[in-house]
Amino acid sequence: MPDITHFRPVRGGNVFEETVARLLQIIRLGIVAPGGVLPPERELATLFEVSRDTVREAIASLTGAGFLLAKRGRYGGTFVCEPLPSAAADRARAAASTTATTTDPAHVGTQITDVLIVREVLEVGAARAAAERPVGPAESTELRQHLLAVSSAAPDDYRRLDSRLHLAFGELAGSSSLVTLLAENRMLVNSLLDGIPLLARNISHSNDQHERIVAAVLAGDPEAAGQAMREHLAGTAALLHGFLA
């Protein structure tokens, strides 16, 4: 049985994403080695201080991504795949290489952090600025159309339409220079996102957060818009660090 001191409680408003990231950390650091078995769902829920449903969905997502394997029967449980998926490792190296000059995990993690810090500064600021300006009927309709498009997107189109929605906040802020900076940063973010799998629960959660951001912008509430965007970005950051760093 692995040392349970590594199974710390999950904190923050992105419980599912943080749980996935925590499990990935345990797997990738070898705390539970390939072929080893995770503690039972009930125990993980207690250790992480989250619901069993959250643990179950996180395990299901990582099973679908090829990191975990469920076995039934007397000697069953949730096992770390042996070997770990090479496709996921290749995606991680390809994504990290867009921002890092070495594959050293510590340096790659630093480069990812750098991209995401810039993203938070730009996108939280854009959401706040968009909420501070009056949004006309045509702009409101267009923003809602972007929201609808991403919420109903097929997996192959999701990240493209997600990018379009995020750029719309910069456009509403009324600064072409801001839109340019957002687009440049988003290209780096998307190169990282291309290295991790789409997780259905994360997409559902992201769409809920998108609705909160849009509602705050249309209500003219910059504080709520900025906070909702910050929480949204934190969930993505947790997954990127979990899979790639």
Side-chain angles (χ1 to χ4, degrees):
M1 181 63 66
D3 183 354
I4 64 171
T5 59
H6 294 283
F7 292 75
R8 306 182 311 279
V10 168
R11 302 295 185 215
N14 297 285
V15 175
F16 167 76
E17 290 82 0
E18 292 287 350
T19 301
V20 170
R22 191 66 53 79
L23 288 172
L24 281 167
Q25 182 184 61
I26 289 164
I27 293 167
R28 297 183 68 213
L29 290 177
I31 295 167
V32 179
V37 62
L38 293 178
E41 287 180 2
R42 185 187 300 276
E43 185 175 348
L44 286 173
T46 299
L47 292 168
F48 290 155
E49 297 183 5
V50 300
S51 70
R52 286 189 68 180
D53 284 345
T54 297
V55 170
R56 188 175 297 114
E57 290 176 344
I59 287 174
S61 295
L62 290 177
T63 299
F67 286 86
L68 297 174
L69 176 65
K71 297 181 181 180
R72 298 186 180 278
R74 182 177 179 182
Y75 300 104
T78 302
F79 291 80
V80 176
C81 288
E82 184 177 18
L84 290 173
S86 58
D90 291 343
R91 287 197 303 270
R93 283 192 290 271
S97 69
T98 63
T99 55
T101 57
T102 175
T103 57
D104 177 69
H107 186 69
V108 170
T110 299
Q111 294 298 321
I112 293 170
T113 297
D114 181 71
V115 171
L116 296 181
I117 287 174
V118 174
R119 185 189 191 195
E120 180 172 343
V121 170
L122 291 174
E123 297 214 24
V124 171
R128 291 184 60 93
E132 288 171 350
R133 293 181 68 248
V135 179
E139 292 175 318
S140 176
T141 297
E142 185 175 3
L143 183 59
R144 292 184 187 278
Q145 287 174 341
H146 289 314
L147 177 63
L148 177 61
V150 71
S151 65
S152 58
D156 289 346
D157 282 336
Y158 185 83
R159 285 185 174 137
R160 175 179 64 83
L161 295 172
D162 178 48
S163 299
R164 188 65 192 87
L165 174 63
H166 280 256
L167 290 175
F169 297 119
E171 292 166 355
L172 287 174
S175 169
S176 59
S177 296
L178 175 58
V179 174
T180 298
L181 292 171
L182 285 167
E184 291 173 352
N185 178 257
R186 184 69 192 214
M187 289 178 65
L188 296 175
V189 171
N190 281 350
S191 70
L192 297 174
L193 289 172
D194 286 343
I196 71 175
L198 283 172
L199 306 180
R201 170 68 186 273
N202 170 246
I203 297 305
S204 176
H205 187 203
S206 292
N207 288 337
D208 290 342
Q209 292 174 324
H210 287 154
E211 290 183 6
R212 288 175 51 209
I213 299 166
V214 168
V217 168
L218 295 180
D221 188 338
E223 186 64 30
Q227 182 60 31
M229 180 65 82
R230 183 174 287 106
E231 290 179 5
H232 176 53
L233 301 182
T236 302
L239 292 180
L240 287 172
H241 280 294
F243 277 102
L244 302 182

